[in-house]
Amino acid sequence: MTQVDERDDQAVLRFIERFSSVFTESGMARMPARVFVALLAADSGEMTSAELADLLRVSPAAISGAVRYLTQVGLVSRERETGTRRDIYRVLDDLWYEALFRRDEMLRRMTGPLREGISALGAGTPAGRRISETLMFFEFFHAELPNMLRHWRTYRDERLGAPGSPDRPTEPS
């Protein structure tokens, strides 16, 4: 019997609900949060719509809307199961790195409109100062993120082993 066979299904569902509530409290809609955590909790990191609906006890339509959102924000990929018409939803490898990298690109795209806002509002006005501080934060974050991500990979590799090493647990591909 494997470790997976020994899992308490109710404990897994409680974990999914509890952890997804953290995402919901942080602003993510409830169903995408539940689907995201269910995929994180799957050993393979992937499930079909039917598997997700069965696990979460919801309709396939609810899953469809949730994965549409999760793919749009880059937390999940949608892939066609070979030889079938079924889609498989998968959490991305190096998920948090990729999510931060995508957010950095979004923040970088905001700098042009923020500069326009400062000009339109006036740099010396209260609103202009708020927009200026927002721009400064995004510029600071954009400048610091490459170092932070490099440190993250070093930190991760020290604790889990380098990717592909026998010391490192297998990650879903």
Side-chain angles (χ1 to χ4, degrees), residues 43-56:
D43 281 322
S44 65
E46 64 184 41
M47 298 176 88
T48 65
S49 180
E51 290 168 333
L52 285 162
D54 184 52
L55 174 65
L56 299 175

Side-chain angles (χ1 to χ4, degrees), residues 17 19 36 48 64 80 93 110 125 144 148 151 160-161 163-164:
E17 294 303 325
F19 193 39
F36 178 63
T48 65
S64 177
R80 184 66 59 161
D93 291 337
M110 289 182 176
T125 67
E144 292 296 319
M148 187 174 73
H151 290 153
L160 297 177

Side-chain angles (χ1 to χ4, degrees), residues 1-171:
M1 192 186 263
T2 67
Q3 242 184 334
V4 173
D5 295 331
E6 297 171 5
R7 287 189 181 143
D8 177 348
D9 291 341
Q10 290 304 310
V12 172
L13 285 173
R14 281 191 304 274
F15 163 73
I16 290 170
E17 294 303 325
R18 179 165 289 159
F19 193 39
S20 66
S21 71
V22 173
F23 286 101
T24 301
E25 291 167 8
S26 299
M28 185 184 285
R30 185 170 185 263
M31 189 54 58
R34 293 178 74 213
V35 167
F36 178 63
V37 174
L39 289 169
L40 280 176
D43 281 322
S44 65
E46 64 184 41
M47 298 176 88
T48 65
S49 180
E51 290 168 333
L52 285 162
D54 184 52
L55 174 65
L56 299 175
R57 299 180 183 126
V58 298
S59 73
I63 299 299
S64 177
V67 296
R68 185 173 30 258
Y69 169 80
L70 292 168
T71 56
Q72 287 173 345
V73 299
L75 293 176
V76 169
S77 68
R78 169 187 259 152
E79 301 166 16
R80 184 66 59 161
E81 189 175 47
T82 306
T84 73
R85 293 178 39 194
R86 293 187 332 170
D87 288 328
I88 295 176
Y89 304 104
R90 174 178 293 159
V91 288
L92 302 173
D93 291 337
D94 214 356
L95 168 70
W96 301 112
Y97 176 94
E98 292 297 327
L100 273 176
F101 183 78
R102 284 188 180 93
R103 291 291 175 237
D104 181 51
E105 286 300 306
M106 179 201 58
L107 295 175
R108 188 186 53 74
R109 287 192 311 268
M110 289 182 176
T111 59
L114 286 168
R115 288 182 202 293
E116 289 175 24
I118 295 165
S119 178
L121 297 166
T125 67
R129 284 191 295 275
R130 269 193 308 278
I131 300 300
S132 292
E133 185 175 345
T134 301
L135 175 60
M136 287 178 2
F137 177 80
F138 289 170
E139 289 173 335
F140 174 82
F141 190 84
H142 181 72
E144 292 296 319
L145 188 59
N147 288 327
M148 187 174 73
L149 293 175
R150 198 168 24 262
H151 290 153
W152 155 246
R153 291 219 163 151
T154 300
Y155 178 87
R156 177 197 63 192
D157 293 349
E158 286 171 355
R159 282 151 185 80
L160 297 177
S165 76
D167 298 337
R168 185 170 182 152
T170 304
E171 293 180 3

